[in-house]
Amino acid sequence: MTFAADEFQQDLAQADAEDAAGEISPQNGRWYAVQVASGCEKRVKANLEQRIETLDVANRIFQIEIPQTPAIKLRKDGSRLNTEEKVFPGYVLVNMLMDDDTWQVVKNTPNVINFVGAEQKRRYGRGRGHVKPLPLGKAEVERIFKQAEEQEPIVKIDMAPGDKILVLSGPFKDFEGEVIEVSPERSKLKALLSIFGRDTPVELEFNQIQKES
């Protein structure tokens, strides 16, 4: 794909207009969303950073980010592991000045699928046209990064209704049961325990139970 000169100048003119309106600063680049292969976000970021240096475009591709929020993963033994959760799995954000060279550098990075943008129809013949990258608005970018910074830690647990559990502590220690409801935001779940010969729903803390294999 080649960016026509008039199209690129139009993009720069639009950037200048938005800058005058306080929307964006072309000197600092514009943020674009790039779709990547599932689970390859960090690999793409590392490869792209290396390509930027090798291909000498650091003056036009400034920053690559994978917005993430804090998360707590509960292990089977009840211990907690501090980790991070991707805000947009399958995407990375790139701050850059868009031209033919920078488009090629990003698009040809291994495991990159395409920029997020508007699909341009082919003038002749059949088949899909190319995708014209569309920059994210300043308000959208601020919302994304603000969400990543201010999000309360998400509790993740490898548990779902129907799973068998063993209670490790509390009044029902050593009871076995079956999960019927999981509430990650409260770090609790409900399970059916056999009490006095009857299945009774009991609410338990995540750190009170262990998933049975």
Side-chain angles (χ1 to χ4, degrees), residues 8-164:
F8 186 55
Q9 291 302 321
Q10 287 173 8
D11 285 345
L12 290 181
Q14 181 182 356
D16 290 337
E18 291 181 349
D19 182 41
E23 289 296 319
I24 199 164
S25 174
Q27 288 79 12
N28 294 326
R30 312 183 80 184
W31 285 99
Y32 294 83
V34 179
Q35 185 181 9
V36 304
S38 178
C40 294
E41 297 89 353
K42 290 184 178 179
R43 194 179 311 167
V44 166
K45 184 177 187 292
N47 286 339
L48 183 50
E49 287 174 341
Q50 184 177 22
R51 284 168 59 80
I52 289 169
E53 295 301 321
T54 302
L55 299 173
D56 194 25
V57 290
N59 63 333
R60 286 174 285 166
I61 301 180
F62 309 107
Q63 193 176 353
I64 303 101
E65 293 291 340
I66 306 170
Q68 299 182 105
T69 59
I72 300 171
K73 185 175 182 180
L74 295 180
R75 294 166 168 163
K76 289 183 178 180
D77 62 2
S79 63
R80 295 185 168 216
L81 174 66
N82 291 325
T83 182
E84 291 182 318
E85 185 82 2
K86 298 180 184 67
V87 177
F88 301 110
Y91 293 88
V92 300
L93 301 184
V94 182
N95 186 292
M96 60 189 286
L97 293 175
M98 181 67 69
D99 60 28
D100 290 343
D101 292 337
T102 56
W103 181 88
Q104 291 282 354
V105 171
V106 176
K107 184 66 172 63
N108 293 329
T109 299
N111 296 303
V112 165
I113 297 174
N114 215 334
F115 282 89
V116 173
E119 184 175 340
Q120 306 292 300
K121 295 183 179 180
R122 294 166 60 96
R123 291 187 178 183
Y124 307 103
R126 298 181 178 180
R128 301 180 65 181
H130 67 257
V131 173
K132 180 181 179 181
L134 293 179
L136 303 175
K138 181 181 178 182
E140 185 176 10
V141 172
E142 289 179 347
R143 178 183 59 80
I144 291 171
F145 286 111
K146 184 177 181 181
Q147 176 185 350
E149 291 174 1
E150 298 181 357
Q151 176 73 44
E152 290 294 323
I154 300 170
V155 178
K156 305 288 290 184
I157 185 171
D158 182 20
M159 201 76 66
D163 287 341
K164 304 297 182 182

